[in-house]
Amino acid sequence: MNNDVLLETKNLKMHFPIEDGIIIKRQVGAIRAVDGVDLTLRKGETLGVVGESGCGKSTTARAIAQLYEPTAGEVIFQGQDLTKLTPHQLLKVRREIQMVFQDPYASLNPRLIVNDIIREPLDIYKARKLLNMEKKEMAERVEYLMERVGLSRYFKNRYPHEFSGGQRQRIGIARALALNPKVILADEPVSALDVSIQAQILNLFLELQDEFDLTYMFIAHDLSVIEYISNRVAVMYLGKVVEISDSKSLYKNPLHPYTKALFSAAPIPDPRIEKTRKRIVLEGDVPSPDQERFGCYFNDRCPHRMEVCKKNVPELIQVDTDHKVACYLYYKQEQLARLDGGRT
């Protein structure tokens, strides 16, 4: 891993309109699924993204891949802003950014055999004259990828329903690798699998990263999964990144009150530690993402909220080497003084 930034998002927003009326539709609000996300993905690393359900993790990944058209912001990949590209230009770049989806049952076409599922990206790019590959090479590529992800090439004429969940996810990984991408966005790829299978798939991801020189954005609910596979971790809450750090520092010393509460909810497989540690229970529920909010998005539930938290949105500030947090508890006095005028 190095510090070369391969992909970057700047103030990325993804709002889904709420419409009223049957014949004449009018927008009456919006679901603010992603509400200003700044992330950097460095070449060769695994950036873990964690947070509770509905915080915008999956939507962020889909907006980066341009499966959703972002409401605002930039997605910069190797110097190009993907949000400003034409469909043809985007197609050229999209081969470099592939996704592995959460549900291995829903993400594969049940009417296609495995050979055609994995070969489909190759067929698409060949048809658009963006790939120079003969049919024999494509067939060899499919068989090689099947063997590489742990499936026999003799299964290539089977349909998805003939495979287990773990095997289907291996098919999805092989499909993502077909075009030899640089970045893979893994959207909770092990959450639907048995625990014993999860470990195999995680180790497969690590092996493929070394072999194919891949960069991952890895989304998961399970904190132990994120700790195992990630170099850096971003914590999201209500469509925003509230803390980002290298994995060891974050797990050893979480700073944001939400991160501390999130980590305290995860069980520790040591009865002596589990018996003595203090659980942080947050008050209230996660606010609805359709509400326009002012100030820190976490202030309604934060046990350390201050007056400044109600009026101003905290920005990510550097508190240590490669450790940023969006919380006024870590602002210096002169930084807080500059906020007296009010900023939203």
Side-chain angles (χ1 to χ4, degrees), residues 98-290:
Q98 294 292 306
M99 281 196 72
V100 176
F101 297 93
Q102 176 179 0
D103 189 347
Y105 295 91
S107 60
L108 303 179
N109 189 333
R111 297 184 178 183
L112 295 181
I113 59 174
V114 171
N115 180 77
D116 294 345
I117 289 172
I118 299 174
R119 202 186 67 185
E120 188 174 23
L122 301 173
D123 289 334
I124 291 171
Y125 276 79
K126 183 176 175 62
R128 287 164 174 75
K129 302 189 186 308
L130 295 173
L131 183 70
N132 184 21
M133 226 174 173
E134 299 299 327
K135 286 187 177 180
K136 182 180 179 182
E137 292 178 276
M138 293 166 68
E140 290 173 351
R141 177 73 173 168
V142 170
E143 291 183 355
Y144 165 72
L145 289 173
M146 287 189 68
E147 296 280 3
R148 188 58 196 83
V149 299
L151 295 171
S152 171
R153 66 181 64 193
Y154 300 109
F155 294 167
K156 66 180 181 180
N157 292 320
R158 294 187 180 183
Y159 288 89
H161 73 267
E162 299 179 78
F163 294 89
S164 67
Q167 289 174 321
R168 291 187 195 197
Q169 198 59 287
R170 291 174 190 270
I171 296 168
I173 294 170
R175 178 179 60 184
L177 292 172
L179 291 166
N180 201 22
K182 293 180 180 177
V183 175
I184 287 186
L185 309 174
D187 183 13
E188 301 195 45
V190 298
S191 64
L193 307 179
D194 293 338
V195 175
S196 58
I197 305 300
Q198 285 185 10
Q200 295 176 20
I201 298 298
L202 288 174
N203 287 330
L204 176 62
F205 269 108
L206 292 174
E207 292 168 9
L208 294 173
Q209 184 172 37
D210 291 337
E211 182 175 336
F212 292 93
D213 194 22
L214 295 169
T215 302
Y216 293 145
M217 176 176 168
F218 200 98
I219 296 168
H221 276 104
D222 193 326
L223 294 172
S224 60
V225 166
I226 290 290
E227 183 180 18
Y228 178 72
I229 200 168
S230 303
N231 305 113
R232 288 191 305 136
V233 181
V235 182
M236 288 188 68
Y237 179 81
L238 214 62
K240 283 188 173 292
V241 175
V242 297
E243 188 167 358
I244 185 166
S245 171
D246 66 277
S247 181
K248 290 183 180 179
S249 296
L250 188 71
Y251 278 79
K252 184 178 180 181
N253 183 33
L255 298 178
H256 196 281
Y258 173 68
T259 310
K260 292 179 179 179
L262 192 67
F263 282 17
S264 79
I268 296 175
D270 187 327
R272 292 171 297 178
I273 298 176
E274 188 67 26
K275 187 176 181 180
T276 57
R277 76 186 184 116
K278 185 180 179 182
R279 171 82 185 273
I280 301 173
V281 180
L282 297 175
E283 58 185 60
D285 297 317
V286 180
S288 174
D290 66 345

